[in-house]
Every structure is written in C-alpha cells, then in structure tokens.
Amino acid sequence: SVLKYESEMGKLSHAYLFCGPRGTGKTSCAKILAKALNCLSPVNGSPCGKCDACRSIDDGIAPDVLEMDAASNNGVDYIRDIRDEVNYTPANLKKRVYIIDEVHMLSSGAFNALLKTLEDPPEHVVFILATTEFHKLPATIVSRCQRFDFRRIKSDVLAKRLLYIAEKESMPLTEEAASVIAKQAQGGMRDAISLFELCSAGGHDVTAEHVRDVLGLTGIEMQYKTAVAVSRGDTSSLFSLVAAVDSSSKDITVYWSELIGFWRDMLVMRKLPEEQRTDYFDCTEPEMRLLADAARRFTPETLSYHFTLL
C-alpha cells in the first residue's frame, strides 16, 4: 500500500531495498514497481499492464529496466558501468530502473561504487535492491534506501493459491496434498509452485500420498510411532521403524528432518497454552490429536534435551 501510494502521488524514493526469504515476491514486486513507475495509463498507482511500457517490461525487452544478479556480477567494474550509464536519460521510458538481486553478494569495492551513485542519483534513475541476507549489507547502503520487509507466506495462503492454480490449469490437486506441499515450501510461493510442478509431472493426480512419495516424506504417523517408541524406551520398535524408512522409497535424511520438526511441535505443544498454539502449527485436526498424544508422554525438559540431540 505504501508503494502504491508513492506511485500514485509521484512521491518516489531514488532507492528501494526489498528484504526477505527466497520465493516471497521480492523480484516480482520490483518488476511491478518498475511498471508502475513507467506506466502510461496507471490505475490508482498500479500499472495497467496493457500499455507499451508495461508490455515491454513484462517481455523483458525494455532497455531502461535492467535486472542483474549480484551473485554472478559482483565486481566493482560492473557497478562502475552502471554509474556511467545513469547520467544518460532513459531511451523509451520515464524512469531508468536498476533491479539488483542478491545485492549482498557485491564486493566491498562494488558497494563503495554503488554508494557513490546512491548518494546523488539523477532524477530519472531508480534503484531496487533485493536481498535474502539483509545483515550482510553495509549500513551506509541501507540508510540511503527505503526498506521493505517481505515475510514468509502462511501455509494456508500457499495451499489456497496452489488450489487456484490447479483449477485454472485443470490439474487434479486435493486439498490435503496442497497442504502437504505448502508445509514443505516453508513460506516460499516459488518453492510451493516448483514442488507442485514436480509432483504433477507425468500427468499424475496430485494426492497427499503421491506428494509424500515424490518428496520422500514419511508422514506424521511414522513420526508419531517414533515418538511413542522413544517414550517407552522400545529399542526394537525404533530399529524396525528406521529399517522401514531405509528400505522404502522414503529418504532417511528427510525422515530425520521431519523428526526434528515433530519434536519442535511437541515442545511448543507443552510450552504454550492452548489459545496461543494455532499460530505455530500447520496441522489438520487428526494430526493435532496425534501430536497432542505424543507430547503428553514427555516433560518439556526431556523434549528440550531430545531436541538438542536431534
């Protein structure tokens, strides 16, 4: 809403900094902002998406919107080239926009060169910097940008979006499968869509069982059985459970990661009162019952100790 207001009122910053985990929309938002800055027929601050400026940016052929990946172009010479270019007025658009992805990868010399450009940029130039590792940026760069933080997307929002995509593309996807994929995406929309594409390859119906097979997941039932066996000191069952995972199509390293997540959930279950738990779990009601039954078998202190071991 802040960016929309600034675009509509023409009160633009010369440099924006988008921070957040991968797949949360930083680069996509940067391209939308580039269109909003150059749109010939904006609608309440938003780009129309139909004019020549918007279409050229969408097609990646706009000479005045330049996108670079600092992971592969992190040298001082590259930034110096940009510093030389900014003095020229845009060729076709109103603003020349530089989108620098993973900006934290720039060398110290490149940061110094960029800093000089940010200190006194021409009116027709806007920089949009994106990073997944904000803590690696020099304070001098951060202080000259308008900062926006992108958060991980909640699993239920990811799942709804996957179901929407599946409907539009006429791809069979069950609600349970969408929830499983969303949970594995860990808040990243791009990861969620990539996992969905992986699971739907070959024209498969995307069910929860198929998703678990493709991703090597064991499911909460196996995690629950493991927790019960640990609580009882049942070594024989533990060996059988691990052998079952190892001899199946499941991935033993994924199983271990799932156990860490399950123990974390049990610890949260024991530590927080019931009214505060909903924000911390991506579980269905049956899964919550299994989790609660497993958690009651341990003291919080034991779970903390186990968590450290895991």
Side-chain angles (χ1 to χ4, degrees), residues 185-260:
Q186 297 183 343
M189 182 64 74
R190 185 174 65 239
D191 286 357
I193 294 172
S194 296
L195 291 174
F196 177 37
E197 289 175 343
L198 175 66
C199 294
S200 63
H204 278 284
D205 287 358
V206 185
T207 63
E209 184 179 0
H210 179 66
V211 169
R212 293 190 183 104
D213 284 341
V214 172
L215 302 184
L217 305 174
T218 57
I220 195 170
E221 292 83 3
M222 187 69 80
Q223 300 158 39
Y224 170 74
K225 290 176 183 177
T226 304
V228 170
V230 169
S231 70
R232 292 175 176 171
D234 188 349
T235 308
S236 177
S237 292
L238 284 172
F239 269 90
S240 297
L241 287 164
V242 173
V245 173
D246 191 47
S247 62
S248 70
S249 62
K250 311 301 182 187
D251 190 327
I252 196 75
T253 57
V254 175
Y255 166 66
W256 194 266
S257 178
E258 288 180 296
L259 280 185
I260 293 174

Side-chain angles (χ1 to χ4, degrees), residues 63-110:
D64 296 312
V65 176
L66 299 97
E67 183 179 356
M68 64 166 278
D69 183 4
S72 53
N73 299 291
N74 60 1
V76 63
D77 291 338
Y78 198 88
I79 300 300
R80 281 175 179 163
D81 289 342
I82 292 177
R83 196 172 67 188
D84 293 338
E85 289 175 5
V86 297
N87 295 316
Y88 298 103
T89 56
N92 298 317
L93 305 180
K94 291 182 283 187
K95 297 280 186 180
R96 176 173 285 134
V97 182
Y98 291 93
I99 301 171
I100 306 179
D101 200 12
E102 299 300 349
V103 69
H104 65 273
M105 296 290 286
L106 291 179
S107 66
S108 58

Side-chain angles (χ1 to χ4, degrees), residues 164-185:
Y164 170 81
I165 293 171
E167 181 184 358
K168 292 296 182 182
E169 298 293 332
S170 300
M171 301 167 70
L173 172 69
T174 66
E175 289 189 10
E176 186 181 0
S179 296
V180 174
I181 293 172
K183 188 174 182 179
Q184 292 305 306

Side-chain angles (χ1 to χ4, degrees), residues 3 6-7 10-14 16 33 37 95 126 146:
L3 290 174
E6 289 186 358
S7 175
K11 297 180 178 180
L12 302 170
S13 173
H14 66 275
Y16 295 90
L33 179 56
L37 297 175
K95 297 280 186 180
V126 173
Q146 188 174 2

Side-chain angles (χ1 to χ4, degrees), residues 249-295:
S249 62
K250 311 301 182 187
D251 190 327
I252 196 75
T253 57
V254 175
Y255 166 66
W256 194 266
S257 178
E258 288 180 296
L259 280 185
I260 293 174
F262 191 76
W263 248 260
R264 172 264 187 194
D265 287 349
M266 286 196 292
L267 191 57
V268 172
M269 178 74 74
R270 291 305 306 269
K271 286 285 190 180
L272 289 183
E274 188 172 353
E275 62 272 12
Q276 294 182 19
R277 295 174 188 166
T278 52
D279 291 337
Y280 291 89
F281 297 117
D282 291 322
C283 298
T284 61
E285 280 299 319
E287 289 173 340
M288 284 291 286
R289 286 195 290 271
L290 286 179
L291 180 61
D293 185 71

